[in-house]
Amino acid sequence: MMEEKLKLFMEETELWDYKKYFRKGMFLAQHPQAHTDGKVQYLADELGLGPSISLKPTKREYTCLKRDEIDTTDEPRTWKTDKKKWRLPRPLWRLVTLCALGALIQGWDEAAVNSAQQFYQPAFKMYIENNDTSTIDALSSNIPGRPWLVGLVNSAPYLCCVLSCWLTQPLNAVFGRRGTIFIASLFSAAFAFTQAFSQSWQVLFAFRFLMGVGIGPKSATVPIYVAESAPENVRGGLVMMWQVFTAFGIMLGYLAGVALKGITPGLVDKPEHGPCPMPTLSSPMSTLLATRCSLNWRLILGSPMVAPVILARYIYTQPESPRWLIAKGHRYKRKENPEKATSCYRSAWVALVKLRHTKLQAARDMFVIYHLLEREQEVVGRDRKDRNIKWCQKGVVELFMIRRNWRALRASLICMFAQQFCGVNIFVYYSSHVLRVANTTNINLVLLLSMGFGFINFVFALPAFYTIDTLGRRSLLLMTFPFLALCHLIIAVGLLALDPSSQWKMVIAGMYLFGLFYSPGEGPVPFVYSAESMPLYIRDVGMGCVTSVNWLFNWLIAFTAPGFFVHFHNSGTFFWYAGWCVVLWFLIFLHVPETRILSLEQLDTVFNQTASSFRKFAWEDANWLFRRYIRRHKNMEDRPKFYEEIHMRPEREGTEMQSMCSRSTSIEESRP
């Protein structure tokens, strides 16, 4: 049976030069533990494969295979063993690091506009004048429309992202993962540069809106690209590079604000020391928008263009996604175009060889991907024919109507919604305003304290490289959300304090503590979770949908926050988001299952479980944890396991057949 499969596989891929690797890789895919438990000889004889020596891995192959098993066995964990799994091939590290640059622009722009708005608000008349000669920013204005105008300009790119994310599927289908990232990077760089030349708030809004054309598809494609290229035991850590570099971009945006604010001296604090007057309602806009008076905020706004330029320059030096290439080869095979199909399979093999330590690992992964995608397309094609689904309905209809897809979508949407409604972008967009309200009126100090938040957000995201694949996605969310609510309460109470000194100290403490708990939890999890939870045939559509929702609420919060500050008052805004953190904890607890250390194909088993059975398990698991760690019971039963078949780590052949059967079942069902 195995030899027949191997022969058919070799005939279709025409990779005859590497037959010995595929022979061992196919055996390893079906019996992943055979090389360590001494069953090679027994299984070879049972399957009639002849001498087992040809199936045994070399010493180097054995060492690399052992690294793959870290996190998948019950052996004792140590820092030394955990460190071994991060010994990844250099081409994989280059791919992940380069792709992470795609996250820089959104973080950089969010923080840059936070700093720049302190200067362009007066230039664009987005403020009012008090009864005395001093001025205040537009967020404290009681003129109708002014607070919403600030929010509209600040959030413009993310309003566009709500629409542009739906370009992910057609762009990926035509240009591939690398091509989509290249095109999106060009758009991002071009309009990040041109927004610096704005002469009115309307022009600034238009350029910032168009910048979202690039940010949307890139934010959906990069996590997919990395997830499809990474081994399963470090996939979460590598995909979360997206969030780490978003945090790094936020820090760079604040740093740019601090470094470039002094290029135009005297604009805000000391007008008598520079050529620019203190802006008032009577100040001519031609003066305020002149280069000598506006160079600082123009450079701050244009600075995010650096990262997408580098990404566009080097993205084609990286291998294409192996899963995307194999799926493309299958499409050519169905169209009876064997030459193009063979070319895609050969390109996928070359990519996997670069992204894995050994050719044996590459052969094993290619066989598994090839086989599962082939079966997936057979089942999906049969279902589409039975349901008479038109070509224009493919993807969107299946995303909502197939229960397996709907459960993955629901969990991903909760994570994305939670990332925005936990209130993080109140700090990213408007920390300068919050600090000025908290009696910190010195603009230099405001920008430095904001940069401190960016630094904390970046530094404390780094531990998630370790925790996201050890503690797991679900556990990180459940552990950090109570602290996020507490941080909002600290800030809200601080803003109500009568003592000015206590007020700004509590605000700064709450803001920094929020960054400490957000960065390793809700920060990295949503994009990791969403990128891995969807089946490949619908992954582009699903990721486009959830990132669109993420950007929708990103825009909504950035747009409405100025109005909240005015009408709910500053403390009321933080009480509001503290309440949302509590609600989100329960949503995650009841609807977001764990996906740690599972292959992209094994996740089918996870999301084929019913919602009611998962909720029952969640309460049982919570009861076990309460009795074990709060009441300190001893001699307790083993911790409940919801996905028993996955926790037992069955051999790949059994998992493969189970996955195919569960996929068939899920597609034949429809959403209730």
Side-chain angles (χ1 to χ4, degrees):
M1 184 66 177
M2 176 176 163
E3 290 294 338
E4 292 177 1
K5 287 184 179 180
L6 177 62
K7 183 180 179 181
L8 181 61
F9 176 82
M10 300 307 299
E11 289 175 350
E12 293 180 350
T13 61
E14 295 188 9
L15 294 169
W16 294 102
D17 294 341
Y18 309 100
K19 182 177 179 180
K20 65 176 182 179
Y21 296 108
F22 283 108
R23 190 169 187 267
K24 289 197 291 185
M26 185 177 294
F27 177 78
L28 183 62
Q30 296 182 348
H31 307 283
Q33 304 295 328
H35 68 285
T36 59
D37 59 16
K39 292 183 179 180
V40 174
Q41 179 65 56
Y42 170 76
L43 290 171
D45 293 342
E46 187 178 81
L47 297 173
L49 299 177
S52 62
I53 189 65
S54 62
L55 299 176
K56 288 184 179 179
T58 64
K59 184 177 180 180
R60 181 172 180 272
E61 291 171 343
Y62 177 83
T63 302
C64 295
L65 291 172
K66 288 292 289 181
R67 291 177 192 162
D68 289 348
E69 295 177 0
I70 297 174
D71 287 336
T72 65
T73 64
D74 295 329
E75 295 179 3
R77 299 284 300 280
T78 65
W79 171 251
K80 186 175 180 180
T81 59
D82 286 331
K83 187 170 64 173
K84 289 180 180 179
K85 72 178 183 180
W86 292 103
R87 294 177 183 173
L88 304 173
R90 290 182 181 178
L92 181 57
W93 277 120
R94 286 196 294 268
L95 181 149
V96 172
T97 305
L98 183 63
C99 285
L101 291 178
L104 271 182
I105 183 173
Q106 63 199 57
W108 197 329
D109 178 75
E110 289 172 359
V113 78
N114 187 345
S115 301
Q117 68 181 331
Q118 306 301 314
F119 304 99
Y120 69 64
Q121 281 184 22
F124 293 144
K125 303 297 184 181
M126 299 167 68
Y127 72 103
I128 67 169
E129 191 173 22
N130 279 326
N131 293 330
D132 56 20
T133 58
S134 63
T135 59
I136 59 175
D137 66 64
L139 301 189
S140 301
S141 168
N142 57 9
I143 291 182
R146 285 301 182 185
W148 307 108
L149 178 59
V150 176
L152 182 65
V153 172
N154 290 352
S155 63
Y158 314 108
L159 175 60
C160 181
C161 286
V162 176
L163 305 175
S164 63
C165 280
W166 293 98
L167 297 174
T168 302
Q169 196 277 332
L171 286 174
N172 276 272
V174 177
F175 300 105
R177 311 296 189 219
R178 295 181 303 174
T180 301
I181 294 170
F182 175 78
I183 295 171
S185 297
L186 292 181
F187 270 90
S188 299
F191 291 107
F193 177 71
T194 54
Q195 70 174 339
F197 296 91
S198 303
Q199 289 295 104
S200 67
W201 72 262
Q202 293 92 338
V203 175
L204 179 59
F205 170 80
F207 282 143
R208 288 182 58 75
F209 183 85
L210 291 173
M211 186 168 63
V213 175
I215 295 178
K218 178 161 52 64
S219 66
T221 302
V222 169
I224 295 175
Y225 183 33
V226 176
E228 292 178 347
S229 302
E232 63 189 62
N233 64 324
V234 293
R235 185 180 64 243
L238 294 182
V239 175
M240 71 148 289
M241 286 282 282
W242 175 266
Q243 179 59 31
V244 170
F245 271 68
T246 299
F248 186 51
I250 291 173
M251 186 181 72
L252 291 178
Y254 285 129
L255 183 62
V258 172
L260 299 174
K261 67 178 177 59
I263 289 181
T264 306
L267 180 58
V268 174
D269 289 337
K270 298 179 179 180
E272 68 275 15
H273 292 169
C276 300
M278 176 69 78
T280 65
L281 287 175
S282 59
S283 299
M285 291 186 66
S286 58
T287 300
L288 297 177
L289 293 174
T291 302
R292 63 189 178 89
C293 295
S294 62
L295 185 60
N296 57 353
W297 64 262
R298 294 184 188 278
L299 289 176
I300 293 172
L301 284 180
S303 59
M305 69 167 290
V306 176
V309 168
I310 297 173
L311 179 58
R313 168 63 181 82
Y314 291 103
I315 187 61
Y316 274 104
T317 64
Q318 306 306 310
E320 182 57 272
S321 162
R323 281 182 172 83
W324 184 86
L325 288 169
I326 294 174
K328 186 178 180 182
H330 286 346
R331 288 196 297 270
Y332 281 128
K333 186 174 69 173
R334 290 193 299 274
K335 294 178 181 178
E336 298 182 355
N337 193 337
E339 293 183 359
K340 290 187 176 181
T342 300
S343 176
C344 290
Y345 296 142
R346 185 169 292 274
S347 298
W349 167 249
V350 172
L352 278 169
V353 169
K354 290 181 180 179
L355 298 172
R356 301 293 184 266
H357 278 295
T358 65
K359 291 182 179 178
L360 174 58
Q361 291 171 300
R364 175 201 61 191
D365 292 349
M366 183 167 179
F367 169 74
V368 172
I369 296 168
Y370 179 95
H371 185 68
L372 291 176
L373 291 183
E374 190 176 57
R375 297 294 178 269
E376 180 180 79
Q377 288 301 322
E378 289 178 0
V379 175
V380 171
R382 185 170 60 250
D383 179 73
R384 286 173 175 170
K385 185 176 180 180
D386 294 340
R387 291 176 181 268
N388 195 27
I389 295 177
K390 300 178 181 179
W391 68 270
C392 59
Q393 297 175 324
K394 292 178 181 178
V396 177
V397 172
E398 294 167 325
L399 189 63
F400 290 93
M401 296 304 295
I402 296 174
R403 290 186 178 182
R404 180 260 181 266
N405 298 341
W406 164 245
R407 291 172 189 131
L409 177 66
R410 179 179 58 196
S412 299
L413 288 175
I414 289 173
C415 291
M416 289 294 193
F417 176 79
Q419 188 178 58
Q420 299 305 323
F421 264 74
C422 71
V424 63
N425 282 327
I426 295 295
F427 304 107
V428 175
Y429 287 110
Y430 300 109
S431 62
S432 299
H433 166 74
V434 174
L435 290 169
R436 292 178 71 175
V437 169
N439 294 292
T440 311
T441 56
N442 186 299
I443 188 63
N444 295 322
L445 181 59
V446 165
L447 294 179
L448 285 171
L449 291 173
S450 296
M451 187 179 70
F453 174 77
F455 179 78
I456 289 174
N457 190 32
F458 169 64
V459 170
F460 284 93
L462 298 177
F465 279 111
Y466 175 78
T467 57
I468 200 166
D469 283 316
T470 52
L471 296 177
R473 291 72 156 141
R474 172 181 167 85
S475 299
L476 284 174
L477 295 177
L478 294 177
M479 287 190 295
T480 55
F481 258 91
F483 293 101
L484 299 185
L486 179 62
C487 293
H488 280 304
L489 291 176
I490 291 173
I491 296 173
V493 173
L495 289 171
L496 294 174
L498 298 178
D499 181 16
S501 177
S502 300
Q503 189 176 75
W504 74 267
K505 288 179 181 178
M506 290 185 70
V507 169
I508 293 171
M511 186 171 71
Y512 284 4
L513 286 173
F514 184 95
L516 187 151
F517 289 109
Y518 169 84
S519 297
E522 181 57 36
V525 168
F527 279 91
V528 174
Y529 197 96
S530 303
E532 67 189 5
S533 62
M534 305 288 178
L536 180 61
Y537 78 96
I538 207 172
R539 192 168 298 156
D540 297 338
V541 179
M543 195 64 183
C545 176
V546 296
T547 51
S548 177
V549 169
N550 183 280
W551 291 123
L552 172 63
F553 289 109
N554 185 311
W555 167 79
L556 185 65
I557 289 175
F559 176 63
T560 58
F564 267 71
F565 291 140
V566 173
H567 301 292
F568 277 38
H569 304 292
N570 296 285
S571 59
T573 300
F574 290 98
F575 280 122
W576 166 261
Y577 286 108
W580 268 112
C581 287
V582 175
V583 172
L584 291 168
W585 187 91
F586 282 100
L587 287 176
I588 293 165
F589 176 75
L590 295 174
H591 296 289
V592 179
E594 184 59 78
T595 60
R596 182 179 71 94
I597 72 169
L598 303 176
S599 71
L600 295 179
E601 289 74 28
Q602 287 175 324
L603 290 173
D604 285 340
T605 307
V606 172
F607 292 108
N608 273 314
Q609 311 298 322
T610 63
S612 59
S613 61
F614 177 74
R615 288 193 293 269
K616 180 181 178 181
F617 158 76
W619 287 113
E620 290 176 352
D621 189 51
N623 180 54
W624 187 93
L625 291 171
F626 177 79
R627 290 186 292 118
R628 175 67 179 83
Y629 294 105
I630 304 300
R631 301 186 65 179
R632 311 295 293 179
H633 285 186
K634 297 181 179 179
N635 301 322
M636 293 181 58
E637 68 278 6
D638 292 337
R639 185 175 180 179
K641 293 181 178 181
F642 183 50
Y643 315 116
E644 190 67 32
E645 67 280 2
I646 293 179
H647 282 280
M648 293 172 62
R649 305 298 298 179
E651 294 189 349
R652 186 66 59 91
E653 184 176 29
T655 303
E656 174 187 315
M657 296 306 297
Q658 180 183 7
S659 179
M660 289 299 103
C661 294
S662 63
R663 193 189 310 272
S664 302
T665 303
S666 69
I667 291 179
E668 289 169 4
E669 296 174 340
S670 59
R671 180 183 166 190

